[in-house]
Every structure is written in C-alpha cells, then in structure tokens.
Coordinates of all heavy atoms in Angstrom, one line a residue:
N96 N 81.3 -4.1 90.7 CA 82.4 -3.9 89.8 C 82.5 -2.4 89.4 O 83.5 -2.0 89.0 CB 82.2 -4.7 88.5 CG 82.7 -6.1 88.7 OD1 83.2 -6.5 89.8 ND2 82.6 -7.0 87.6
G97 N 81.5 -1.7 89.6 CA 81.5 -0.2 89.2 C 82.5 0.6 89.8 O 83.3 1.3 89.1
V98 N 82.8 0.6 91.1 CA 83.8 1.3 91.8 C 85.2 1.0 91.3 O 86.0 1.8 91.0 CB 83.7 1.2 93.3 CG1 85.0 1.8 94.0 CG2 82.4 1.8 93.9
R99 N 85.4 -0.3 91.1 CA 86.7 -0.8 90.6 C 87.0 -0.4 89.3 O 88.1 -0.1 88.9 CB 86.8 -2.3 90.8 CG 86.6 -2.8 92.2 CD 86.7 -4.3 92.2 NE 85.7 -4.9 91.5 CZ 84.8 -5.8 91.9 NH1 84.9 -6.3 93.0 NH2 83.9 -6.4 91.1
E100 N 86.0 -0.4 88.3 CA 86.3 -0.1 86.9 C 86.2 1.3 86.5 O 86.7 1.7 85.5 CB 85.3 -0.9 86.1 CG 85.5 -2.4 86.3 CD 84.3 -3.3 85.6 OE1 83.4 -2.7 85.0 OE2 84.4 -4.5 85.8
R101 N 85.6 2.2 87.3 CA 85.4 3.6 86.9 C 86.6 4.5 87.2 O 86.7 5.6 86.8 CB 84.1 4.2 87.5 CG 82.9 3.5 86.9 CD 81.7 4.2 87.4 NE 80.5 3.6 86.8 CZ 79.5 3.2 87.5 NH1 79.3 3.5 88.8 NH2 78.5 2.6 86.9
R102 N 87.4 4.1 88.2 CA 88.5 5.0 88.7 C 89.7 4.8 87.7 O 90.1 3.8 87.3 CB 88.9 4.5 90.1 CG 87.8 4.6 91.1 CD 87.2 6.0 91.2 NE 86.1 6.0 92.2 CZ 85.3 6.9 92.3 NH1 85.3 8.1 91.6 NH2 84.3 6.9 93.2
T103 N 90.4 6.0 87.5 CA 91.6 5.9 86.7 C 92.8 5.4 87.5 O 92.7 5.5 88.8 CB 91.9 7.3 86.1 OG1 92.2 8.1 87.2 CG2 90.8 7.9 85.2
E104 N 93.9 5.0 86.9 CA 95.1 4.7 87.6 C 95.5 5.8 88.5 O 95.9 5.7 89.6 CB 96.1 4.2 86.7 CG 97.4 3.7 87.3 CD 97.4 2.4 87.7 OE1 96.6 1.5 87.3 OE2 98.2 2.1 88.7
A105 N 95.5 7.0 87.9 CA 96.0 8.2 88.7 C 95.2 8.5 89.9 O 95.6 8.7 91.0 CB 96.0 9.4 87.8
H106 N 93.8 8.3 89.8 CA 92.9 8.5 90.9 C 93.2 7.5 92.0 O 93.2 7.8 93.2 CB 91.5 8.4 90.5 CG 90.5 8.6 91.6 ND1 90.1 7.5 92.4 CD2 90.0 9.7 92.2 CE1 89.3 7.9 93.3 NE2 89.2 9.3 93.2
L107 N 93.3 6.2 91.6 CA 93.6 5.1 92.6 C 95.0 5.3 93.3 O 95.0 5.0 94.5 CB 93.5 3.8 91.9 CG 92.2 3.4 91.3 CD1 92.3 2.1 90.4 CD2 91.2 3.1 92.5
Q108 N 96.0 5.8 92.6 CA 97.3 6.0 93.2 C 97.2 7.2 94.2 O 97.7 7.1 95.3 CB 98.3 6.3 92.1 CG 98.8 5.0 91.4 CD 99.9 5.3 90.4 OE1 99.9 6.3 89.8 NE2 100.6 4.3 90.3
A109 N 96.4 8.2 93.9 CA 96.2 9.3 94.8 C 95.3 8.9 95.9 O 95.7 9.4 97.1 CB 95.6 10.4 94.0
A110 N 94.3 8.1 95.7 CA 93.5 7.7 96.9 C 94.1 6.6 97.8 O 93.8 6.6 98.9 CB 92.2 7.2 96.3
L111 N 95.0 5.8 97.2 CA 95.6 4.8 97.9 C 97.2 4.9 97.8 O 97.8 4.1 97.0 CB 95.2 3.4 97.4 CG 93.8 3.0 97.8 CD1 93.4 1.6 97.1 CD2 93.7 2.8 99.3
P112 N 97.8 5.8 98.5 CA 99.3 5.8 98.4 C 99.9 4.5 98.8 O 99.3 3.8 99.6 CB 99.6 7.0 99.3 CG 98.3 7.7 99.6 CD 97.2 6.7 99.4
D113 N 101.1 4.3 98.3 CA 101.8 3.0 98.7 C 101.9 2.7 100.1 O 102.0 1.6 100.5 CB 103.1 3.0 98.0 CG 103.1 2.8 96.5 OD1 102.0 2.4 96.0 OD2 104.2 2.9 95.8
H114 N 102.0 3.7 101.0 CA 102.3 3.5 102.5 C 101.0 3.1 103.2 O 101.1 2.6 104.4 CB 102.8 4.8 103.1 CG 101.9 5.8 103.1 ND1 101.7 6.7 102.1 CD2 101.1 6.3 104.2 CE1 100.8 7.7 102.4 NE2 100.4 7.4 103.8
I115 N 99.9 3.2 102.7 CA 98.6 2.8 103.3 C 98.6 1.2 103.7 O 99.0 0.4 102.9 CB 97.4 3.1 102.5 CG1 97.3 4.6 102.2 CG2 96.0 2.6 103.0 CD1 96.9 5.4 103.4
L116 N 98.2 0.9 104.9 CA 98.1 -0.5 105.3 C 96.6 -0.9 105.4 O 96.0 -0.7 106.3 CB 98.7 -0.7 106.6 CG 100.2 -0.5 106.8 CD1 100.7 -0.4 108.3 CD2 101.0 -1.4 106.0
P117 N 96.1 -1.6 104.3 CA 94.7 -2.1 104.4 C 94.7 -3.3 105.3 O 95.7 -4.1 105.3 CB 94.4 -2.4 103.0 CG 95.7 -2.6 102.3 CD 96.7 -1.8 103.0
A118 N 93.6 -3.5 106.0 CA 93.4 -4.6 106.9 C 91.9 -5.0 106.8 O 91.1 -4.2 106.6 CB 93.8 -4.2 108.4
P119 N 91.7 -6.3 107.1 CA 90.3 -6.8 107.3 C 89.6 -6.0 108.3 O 90.1 -5.8 109.4 CB 90.4 -8.3 107.5 CG 91.8 -8.7 107.1 CD 92.6 -7.4 107.3
S120 N 88.4 -5.6 108.1 CA 87.6 -4.9 109.1 C 87.1 -5.9 110.2 O 86.7 -7.0 109.9 CB 86.4 -4.3 108.5 OG 85.5 -3.7 109.4
P121 N 87.3 -5.5 111.4 CA 86.7 -6.3 112.5 C 85.2 -6.5 112.4 O 84.6 -7.4 113.0 CB 87.2 -5.6 113.8 CG 87.4 -4.2 113.4 CD 87.8 -4.3 112.0
D122 N 84.5 -5.5 111.8 CA 83.1 -5.5 111.8 C 82.7 -5.1 110.4 O 82.2 -3.9 110.2 CB 82.5 -4.6 112.8 CG 81.0 -4.6 112.8 OD1 80.5 -5.6 112.5 OD2 80.4 -3.5 113.4
P123 N 82.9 -5.9 109.4 CA 82.6 -5.6 108.0 C 81.2 -5.3 107.7 O 80.3 -6.0 108.3 CB 83.1 -6.8 107.2 CG 83.2 -7.9 108.1 CD 83.3 -7.3 109.5
A124 N 81.0 -4.4 106.8 CA 79.7 -4.1 106.3 C 79.0 -5.2 105.5 O 77.8 -5.3 105.5 CB 79.7 -2.8 105.5
F125 N 79.8 -6.0 104.9 CA 79.3 -7.2 104.1 C 80.2 -8.4 104.4 O 81.4 -8.3 104.6 CB 79.5 -6.9 102.6 CG 78.7 -5.8 102.1 CD1 79.3 -4.5 102.0 CD2 77.3 -5.9 101.8 CE1 78.6 -3.4 101.5 CE2 76.6 -4.8 101.3 CZ 77.2 -3.5 101.2
G126 N 79.6 -9.6 104.3 CA 80.4 -10.8 104.4 C 81.1 -11.0 103.0 O 80.5 -10.7 102.0
L127 N 82.3 -11.5 103.0 CA 83.0 -11.8 101.7 C 82.2 -12.7 100.8 O 82.2 -12.5 99.6 CB 84.4 -12.3 102.0 CG 85.4 -11.3 102.7 CD1 86.7 -12.1 102.9 CD2 85.5 -10.1 101.9
H128 N 81.4 -13.6 101.4 CA 80.6 -14.4 100.5 C 79.5 -13.7 99.8 O 78.9 -14.3 98.9 CB 80.0 -15.6 101.4 CG 79.0 -15.1 102.4 ND1 79.4 -14.5 103.6 CD2 77.7 -15.0 102.4 CE1 78.4 -14.1 104.3 NE2 77.3 -14.4 103.6
E129 N 79.2 -12.5 100.2 CA 78.1 -11.8 99.6 C 78.7 -10.9 98.3 O 77.9 -10.4 97.6 CB 77.5 -10.7 100.5 CG 76.9 -11.4 101.8 CD 76.4 -10.4 102.8 OE1 75.4 -9.7 102.4 OE2 76.9 -10.3 103.8
L130 N 80.0 -10.8 98.2 CA 80.6 -10.0 97.2 C 81.1 -10.9 96.0 O 81.8 -11.9 96.3 CB 81.6 -9.2 97.7 CG 81.2 -8.2 98.9 CD1 82.4 -7.6 99.6 CD2 80.3 -7.2 98.4
P131 N 80.8 -10.6 94.8 CA 81.3 -11.3 93.7 C 82.9 -10.9 93.3 O 83.1 -9.7 93.2 CB 80.4 -10.9 92.5 CG 80.0 -9.5 92.8 CD 80.0 -9.5 94.3
F132 N 83.7 -11.9 93.3 CA 85.1 -11.5 93.0 C 85.6 -12.3 91.8 O 85.2 -13.5 91.8 CB 86.1 -12.0 94.3 CG 85.8 -11.1 95.5 CD1 85.2 -11.6 96.6 CD2 86.4 -9.8 95.5 CE1 85.0 -10.8 97.7 CE2 86.2 -9.0 96.6 CZ 85.5 -9.6 97.7
T133 N 86.4 -11.7 91.0 CA 87.1 -12.5 90.0 C 88.2 -13.3 90.7 O 88.6 -13.0 91.8 CB 87.7 -11.6 88.9 OG1 88.7 -10.8 89.5 CG2 86.6 -10.7 88.3
D134 N 88.9 -14.2 90.0 CA 90.0 -14.9 90.5 C 91.1 -13.9 91.0 O 91.7 -14.0 92.0 CB 90.6 -15.9 89.5 CG 89.6 -17.1 89.4 OD1 88.7 -17.3 90.2 OD2 89.8 -17.9 88.4
A135 N 91.4 -13.0 90.1 CA 92.5 -11.9 90.3 C 92.1 -11.2 91.6 O 93.0 -10.8 92.4 CB 92.7 -11.1 89.1
E136 N 90.9 -10.7 91.8 CA 90.4 -9.9 92.9 C 90.6 -10.7 94.2 O 91.0 -10.2 95.2 CB 89.1 -9.5 92.6 CG 88.9 -8.5 91.6 CD 87.5 -8.2 91.1 OE1 86.6 -9.0 91.4 OE2 87.3 -7.2 90.4
A137 N 90.3 -12.0 94.1 CA 90.3 -12.9 95.2 C 91.8 -13.0 95.7 O 92.1 -13.0 96.9 CB 89.7 -14.2 95.0
K138 N 92.7 -13.2 94.7 CA 94.1 -13.3 95.0 C 94.6 -12.0 95.7 O 95.4 -12.1 96.6 CB 94.9 -13.6 93.8 CG 94.7 -15.0 93.2 CD 95.4 -15.2 91.9 CE 95.1 -16.6 91.4 NZ 95.7 -16.8 90.1
V139 N 94.1 -10.8 95.3 CA 94.5 -9.6 95.9 C 94.1 -9.6 97.4 O 94.8 -9.4 98.4 CB 94.0 -8.4 95.2 CG1 94.2 -7.1 96.0 CG2 94.7 -8.3 93.8
L140 N 92.8 -10.0 97.6 CA 92.3 -9.9 99.0 C 93.0 -10.9 99.9 O 93.2 -10.5 101.0 CB 90.7 -10.3 98.9 CG 90.0 -10.2 100.1 CD1 90.1 -8.8 100.8 CD2 88.6 -10.7 99.9
L141 N 93.5 -12.0 99.4 CA 94.2 -13.0 100.2 C 95.5 -12.3 100.7 O 96.1 -12.8 101.6 CB 94.4 -14.2 99.4 CG 93.2 -15.1 99.2 CD1 93.6 -16.2 98.2 CD2 92.7 -15.6 100.5
R142 N 96.1 -11.3 100.0 CA 97.3 -10.7 100.4 C 97.1 -9.6 101.5 O 98.1 -9.0 102.0 CB 98.1 -10.1 99.2 CG 98.5 -11.1 98.1 CD 98.6 -12.6 98.5 NE 99.3 -13.4 97.6 CZ 98.6 -14.3 96.9 NH1 97.3 -14.4 97.0 NH2 99.2 -15.1 96.1
V143 N 95.9 -9.3 101.8 CA 95.6 -8.2 102.8 C 95.6 -8.7 104.2 O 94.9 -9.6 104.5 CB 94.2 -7.6 102.5 CG1 93.9 -6.5 103.6 CG2 94.2 -6.9 101.1
T144 N 96.7 -8.3 104.9 CA 96.8 -8.8 106.2 C 96.9 -7.6 107.4 O 96.9 -8.0 108.6 CB 98.3 -9.5 106.4 OG1 99.3 -8.5 106.1 CG2 98.4 -10.6 105.4
G145 N 97.0 -6.4 107.0 CA 97.2 -5.3 107.8 C 98.6 -5.1 108.2 O 98.9 -4.1 108.8
R146 N 99.5 -5.9 107.6 CA 100.9 -5.7 107.7 C 101.7 -5.4 106.4 O 102.8 -5.0 106.5 CB 101.5 -6.9 108.4 CG 101.1 -7.2 109.7 CD 101.6 -8.5 110.3 NE 101.0 -8.8 111.6 CZ 101.6 -8.9 112.7 NH1 103.0 -8.9 112.8 NH2 101.0 -9.1 113.9
R147 N 100.9 -5.6 105.4 CA 101.4 -5.2 104.0 C 100.8 -3.9 103.6 O 99.6 -3.7 103.7 CB 101.1 -6.3 103.0 CG 101.8 -7.6 103.1 CD 101.5 -8.5 102.0 NE 102.2 -9.7 102.1 CZ 101.6 -10.9 102.2 NH1 100.4 -11.0 102.2 NH2 102.4 -12.0 102.4
S148 N 101.7 -3.0 103.0 CA 101.2 -1.8 102.6 C 100.6 -2.0 101.1 O 100.8 -3.1 100.4 CB 102.3 -0.8 102.4 OG 103.3 -1.2 101.4
V149 N 99.8 -1.1 100.7 CA 99.4 -1.1 99.3 C 100.5 -1.3 98.2 O 100.4 -2.1 97.4 CB 98.6 0.2 99.0 CG1 98.3 0.3 97.5 CG2 97.3 0.4 99.8
G150 N 101.6 -0.6 98.5 CA 102.8 -0.8 97.5 C 103.2 -2.2 97.5 O 103.6 -2.8 96.5
E151 N 103.3 -2.8 98.8 CA 103.9 -4.2 98.8 C 102.9 -5.2 98.2 O 103.3 -6.1 97.5 CB 104.0 -4.6 100.3 CG 105.2 -3.8 101.0 CD 105.3 -4.1 102.5 OE1 104.2 -4.0 103.1 OE2 106.4 -4.1 103.0
I152 N 101.6 -4.9 98.4 CA 100.6 -5.8 97.7 C 100.7 -5.6 96.2 O 100.6 -6.7 95.5 CB 99.2 -5.4 98.2 CG1 99.1 -5.8 99.8 CG2 98.1 -6.3 97.5 CD1 97.9 -5.4 100.5
V153 N 100.8 -4.4 95.7 CA 100.9 -4.2 94.2 C 102.2 -4.9 93.7 O 102.2 -5.5 92.7 CB 101.0 -2.6 93.9 CG1 101.3 -2.4 92.5 CG2 99.6 -2.1 94.2
H154 N 103.2 -4.8 94.5 CA 104.5 -5.4 94.1 C 104.5 -6.9 94.0 O 105.3 -7.5 93.3 CB 105.6 -4.9 95.1 CG 107.0 -5.3 94.7 ND1 107.7 -4.8 93.6 CD2 107.8 -6.3 95.1 CE1 108.8 -5.4 93.5 NE2 109.0 -6.3 94.4
L155 N 103.6 -7.6 94.8 CA 103.5 -9.0 94.7 C 103.0 -9.5 93.4 O 103.2 -10.7 93.0 CB 102.5 -9.5 95.8 CG 103.0 -9.4 97.2 CD1 101.9 -9.7 98.2 CD2 104.2 -10.2 97.5
Q156 N 102.5 -8.6 92.6 CA 102.0 -8.9 91.2 C 101.0 -10.0 91.1 O 101.2 -10.8 90.2 CB 103.2 -9.1 90.2 CG 104.1 -7.9 90.2 CD 105.3 -8.1 89.3 OE1 105.6 -9.1 88.8 NE2 106.0 -7.0 89.0
V157 N 100.1 -10.1 92.0 CA 99.1 -11.1 91.9 C 98.0 -10.8 90.9 O 97.2 -11.6 90.4 CB 98.4 -11.5 93.2 CG1 99.5 -12.2 94.1 CG2 97.8 -10.3 93.9
A158 N 98.0 -9.5 90.5 CA 97.1 -8.9 89.5 C 97.7 -7.7 89.0 O 98.7 -7.2 89.5 CB 95.7 -8.6 90.1
E159 N 97.1 -7.1 87.9 CA 97.6 -5.9 87.4 C 97.5 -4.8 88.4 O 96.6 -4.8 89.3 CB 96.7 -5.5 86.1 CG 96.9 -6.4 84.9 CD 98.2 -6.3 84.3 OE1 98.9 -5.2 84.3 OE2 98.8 -7.4 84.0
P160 N 98.4 -3.9 88.4 CA 98.4 -2.8 89.5 C 97.0 -2.0 89.6 O 96.5 -1.8 90.6 CB 99.5 -1.8 89.0 CG 100.4 -2.7 88.3 CD 99.6 -3.7 87.6
R161 N 96.4 -1.8 88.4 CA 95.1 -1.0 88.5 C 94.0 -2.0 89.1 O 93.2 -1.5 89.9 CB 94.7 -0.6 87.1 CG 93.4 0.2 87.1 CD 93.1 0.6 85.6 NE 91.9 1.4 85.7 CZ 90.6 1.0 86.0 NH1 90.4 -0.2 86.3 NH2 89.6 1.9 86.1
V162 N 94.1 -3.3 88.8 CA 93.1 -4.2 89.4 C 93.4 -4.3 90.9 O 92.4 -4.2 91.8 CB 93.2 -5.6 88.8 CG1 92.4 -6.6 89.6 CG2 92.8 -5.6 87.4
T163 N 94.6 -4.4 91.3 CA 94.9 -4.5 92.8 C 94.5 -3.3 93.5 O 93.8 -3.3 94.5 CB 96.5 -4.6 92.9 OG1 96.9 -5.8 92.3 CG2 96.8 -4.6 94.4
R164 N 94.8 -2.1 93.0 CA 94.4 -0.8 93.7 C 92.9 -0.6 93.7 O 92.3 -0.2 94.6 CB 95.0 0.4 93.0 CG 96.6 0.6 93.5 CD 97.1 1.8 92.9 NE 98.6 1.7 93.0 CZ 99.3 2.1 94.0 NH1 98.7 2.5 95.1 NH2 100.6 2.1 94.0
G165 N 92.2 -1.1 92.6 CA 90.8 -1.0 92.4 C 90.1 -1.8 93.4 O 89.1 -1.4 94.0
V166 N 90.5 -3.0 93.7 CA 89.9 -3.9 94.6 C 90.1 -3.4 96.0 O 89.2 -3.3 96.8 CB 90.5 -5.4 94.5 CG1 90.1 -6.2 95.7 CG2 90.2 -6.0 93.2
L167 N 91.3 -2.9 96.3 CA 91.5 -2.4 97.7 C 90.7 -1.1 97.9 O 90.1 -0.9 99.0 CB 93.0 -2.0 97.8 CG 94.0 -3.3 97.7 CD1 95.5 -2.7 97.8 CD2 93.7 -4.2 98.9
Y168 N 90.6 -0.2 96.9 CA 89.8 1.0 97.0 C 88.3 0.6 97.2 O 87.7 1.2 98.1 CB 90.0 1.8 95.7 CG 89.2 3.1 95.7 CD1 89.7 4.3 96.3 CD2 88.0 3.2 95.1 CE1 89.0 5.4 96.3 CE2 87.2 4.3 95.2 CZ 87.8 5.4 95.7 OH 87.0 6.6 95.7
A169 N 87.8 -0.3 96.4 CA 86.4 -0.7 96.6 C 86.1 -1.3 97.9 O 85.1 -0.9 98.6 CB 86.0 -1.6 95.4
L170 N 87.0 -2.2 98.4 CA 86.7 -2.8 99.7 C 86.9 -1.8 100.8 O 86.2 -2.0 101.9 CB 87.6 -4.0 99.8 CG 87.2 -5.2 98.8 CD1 88.2 -6.3 99.0 CD2 85.8 -5.6 99.0
L171 N 87.8 -0.9 100.7 CA 87.9 0.2 101.8 C 86.6 1.0 101.7 O 86.1 1.4 102.8 CB 89.2 1.0 101.5 CG 90.4 0.4 102.0 CD1 91.6 1.1 101.4 CD2 90.6 0.4 103.5
S172 N 86.2 1.3 100.5 CA 85.0 2.3 100.3 C 83.7 1.6 101.0 O 82.9 2.4 101.5 CB 84.7 2.5 98.9 OG 85.8 3.2 98.4
V173 N 83.6 0.4 100.9 CA 82.4 -0.3 101.4 C 82.5 -0.9 102.9 O 81.6 -1.5 103.4 CB 81.8 -1.4 100.5 CG1 81.5 -0.9 99.2 CG2 82.8 -2.6 100.4
G174 N 83.7 -0.6 103.5 CA 83.9 -1.0 104.8 C 84.4 -2.5 105.0 O 84.3 -2.9 106.2
V175 N 84.6 -3.3 104.0 CA 85.1 -4.6 104.2 C 86.6 -4.6 104.7 O 87.0 -5.4 105.5 CB 85.0 -5.4 102.9 CG1 85.7 -6.7 103.0 CG2 83.5 -5.6 102.6
L176 N 87.3 -3.5 104.3 CA 88.7 -3.3 104.7 C 88.7 -2.0 105.5 O 87.9 -1.1 105.2 CB 89.7 -3.3 103.5 CG 89.8 -4.5 102.6 CD1 90.7 -4.3 101.6 CD2 90.2 -5.7 103.5
V177 N 89.7 -1.9 106.3 CA 89.9 -0.6 107.0 C 91.4 -0.2 106.9 O 92.2 -1.2 106.4 CB 89.5 -0.7 108.5 CG1 88.0 -0.9 108.7 CG2 90.3 -1.8 109.2
T178 N 91.8 0.9 107.3 CA 93.2 1.3 107.2 C 93.8 0.9 108.7 O 93.2 1.3 109.7 CB 93.4 2.8 107.0 OG1 92.8 3.1 105.8 CG2 94.8 3.1 107.0
A179 N 94.8 0.1 108.6 CA 95.4 -0.4 109.8 C 96.3 0.6 110.5 O 96.9 1.5 109.7 CB 96.2 -1.6 109.5
S180 N 96.4 0.7 111.7 CA 97.3 1.6 112.4 C 98.5 0.9 112.9 O 98.4 -0.3 113.2 CB 96.6 2.4 113.5 OG 95.9 1.4 114.3
L181 N 99.6 1.6 112.9 CA 100.9 1.0 113.3 C 101.0 0.9 114.8 O 100.6 1.6 115.5 CB 102.1 1.7 112.7 CG 102.1 1.7 111.2 CD1 103.3 2.6 110.7 CD2 102.2 0.4 110.7

C-alpha cells in the first residue's frame, strides 16, 4: 500500500499521463495472488488490457482517480504491469 498512498495526485498524473497504455506483464515479478488488493484496486486491475489508456481507465470511474492512478503506478513500479506499445 505504501507506493499507492504516498504519491500525490499531481505526482501520479505526471508519472502516468493519460496516453500511457498499461498492460499485463508477460513475465510479472509477482503473481497477482501474492499481492493484497482492495475491492476498488481489483476493479481497476480488471480494466487493464493493454488497449485502454490510463485516461480511459480513470474515466471508467471504477475507483477514485487517485486510487486508479496509484494502483497503476504501483503495479508498473513492481513489474506486474508494463507499458504497451502500439
């Protein structure tokens, strides 16, 4: 939870601009079963396909924008997600 909770909204927006395409890593550093998720965080993760941008995932409003960006940032930071290429 530390990475998700310590970042400000401004930092998360700068680190994860709306056009970034997060995608599941083909070789994740951790299995999803190893990571504790809140219900809101799990809902965000379910929206990550590699075809939706950060902005689109935020716009789906499955969680507060800061929670959504925080989850994406944390999972990118630990290698569970990667940035998809077009």
